[in-house]
């Protein structure tokens, strides 16, 4: 590791103590940001860590909806996002106004929203789920319950097939995962015969073509898989940032991205300098208006407790 990076990391560790901050980083963050974090994980794990912390400051190295979730769960704490450009293309695919219109067309339906949504959309939702618990959440609803699932149609389609529930799906998708195609899997299989293929359920390739994939997993599910596998090579269909953690946990297996171009531009807005500046200047403070937060908290706390 280079001198300037080590110096920045030391500065961040010092500032973290000075500010009494906890640093949470998503699995897609840059390797050097993951290295300096207190906790690294998927959306569910990081929501739990945000709910548990006794530190007054939460620095979220992730995207806006993750920082908002931390704020909703901790109204009295200061939540910082190092760069306000760290949004999420999937979360942008539905507004609260659009959801209200959709709900009015289906009176009596229950709304299950993926955590990749704005606080306003969460406030209009009955349940929040992540990629780790979406199947469990939907399966826990009564058999005849009408369900609106949003915003990711690929995750929704996967959950619909796994649970056999009739769900209405919002036609949103993640700009990074939706591009992955079954043909890419076939090409990777031909190049690496016998290598298992694991995919995130937001992938276009996970929809309708599950026979092409060995396992469908959340990002933490992939990390656990990496720890356990003895396969010489594994093909990983998700954002490339996760490969750092997988390779570090299991150096004997070669983890190859299905697509080297699967880079989330929002996650990559954050680097070590942004993290340092965020702590030094206590910016950018994430706030969620009280009434919105109160409504969204009910749906989120249901998820955290499950
Ligand atoms: P995970 O909850 O599986 O980490 O997914 C979050 C995400 O944004 C995937 O694109
Ligand atoms: Fe959003 Fe997709 Fe980036 Fe995940 S990978 S944060 S869903 S844009």
């Amino acid at each position: 590791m280079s001198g300037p990076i080590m110096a920045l990391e030391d500065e961040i560790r010092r500032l973290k103590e000075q500010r009494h901050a906890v640093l949470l980083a998503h699995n897609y963050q840059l390797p050097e940001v993951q290295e300096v974090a207190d906790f690294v994980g998927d959306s569910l794990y990081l929501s739990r860590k945000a709910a548990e912390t006794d530190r007054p400051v939460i620095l979220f190295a992730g995207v806006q909806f993750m920082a908002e979730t931390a704020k909703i769960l901790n109204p009295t704490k200061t939540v910082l996002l190092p760069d306000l450009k760290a949004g999420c293309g999937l979360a942008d695919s539905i507004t609260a106004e659009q959801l209200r219109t959709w709900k009015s067309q289906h009176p009596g339906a229950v709304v299950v929203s993926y955590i990749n949504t704005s606080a306003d959309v969460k406030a209009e939702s009955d349940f929040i789920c992540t990629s780790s618990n979406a199947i469990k959440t939907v399966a826990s609803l009564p058999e005849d319950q009408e369900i609106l699932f949003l915003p990711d149609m690929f995750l929704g389609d996967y959950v619909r097939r796994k649970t056999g529930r009739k769900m209405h799906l919002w036609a949103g998708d993640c700009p990074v995962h939706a591009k992955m195609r079954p043909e890419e899997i076939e090409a990777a299989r031909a190049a690496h015969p016998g290598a298992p293929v694991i995919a995130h359920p937001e992938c276009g390739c996970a929809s309708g073509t599950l026979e092409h994939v060995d396992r469908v997993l959340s990002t933490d599910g992939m990390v656990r898989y990496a720890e356990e596998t003895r396969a010489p090579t594994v093909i990983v269909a998700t954002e490339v940032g996760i490969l750092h953690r997988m390779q570090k946990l299991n150096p004997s297996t070669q983890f190859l991205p299905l697509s080297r171009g699967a880079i989330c531009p929002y996650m990559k807005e954050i680097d070590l300098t942004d993290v340092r500046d965020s702590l030094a200047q206590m910016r950018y403070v994430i706030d969620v208006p009280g009434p919105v937060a109160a409504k969204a908290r009910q749906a989120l706390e249901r998820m955290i407790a499950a």
Side-chain angles (χ1 to χ4, degrees), residues 28 63 65 87-90 116 174-177 202 239 264 266-267:
Y28 296 160
V63 292
F65 75 82
C88 169
L90 175 57
N116 298 41
C174 157
V176 181
H177 288 86
E202 284 172 21
E239 211 272 353
C264 174
Y266 305 98
M267 288 279 179

Side-chain angles (χ1 to χ4, degrees), residues 73-94:
L73 293 167
N74 293 283
T76 60
K77 293 186 178 156
T78 302
V79 176
L80 303 174
L81 181 68
D83 192 319
L84 291 177
K85 291 192 292 306
C88 169
L90 175 57
D92 289 345
S93 69
I94 185 164

Side-chain angles (χ1 to χ4, degrees), residues 91-166:
D92 289 345
S93 69
I94 185 164
T95 63
E97 189 52 46
Q98 286 172 310
L99 176 51
R100 279 191 287 272
T101 305
W102 201 28
K103 278 165 54 168
S104 71
Q105 292 156 357
H106 298 276
V110 155
V111 176
V112 181
S113 292
Y114 191 33
I115 197 164
N116 298 41
T117 44
S118 68
D120 289 335
V121 167
K122 286 187 179 75
E124 291 288 335
S125 309
D126 299 296
F127 296 90
I128 307 296
C129 69
T130 74
S131 56
S132 343
N133 60 14
I135 292 173
K136 188 171 142 197
T137 305
V138 169
S140 72
L141 299 173
E143 293 265 354
D144 55 351
Q145 175 65 59
E146 188 179 13
I147 301 167
L148 304 182
F149 188 94
L150 65 104
D152 190 89
M153 61 179 163
F154 294 114
L155 173 66
D157 183 53
Y158 173 66
V159 172
R160 185 161 62 180
R161 281 181 291 117
K162 281 285 180 190
T163 59
R165 296 298 164 87
K166 288 196 187 74

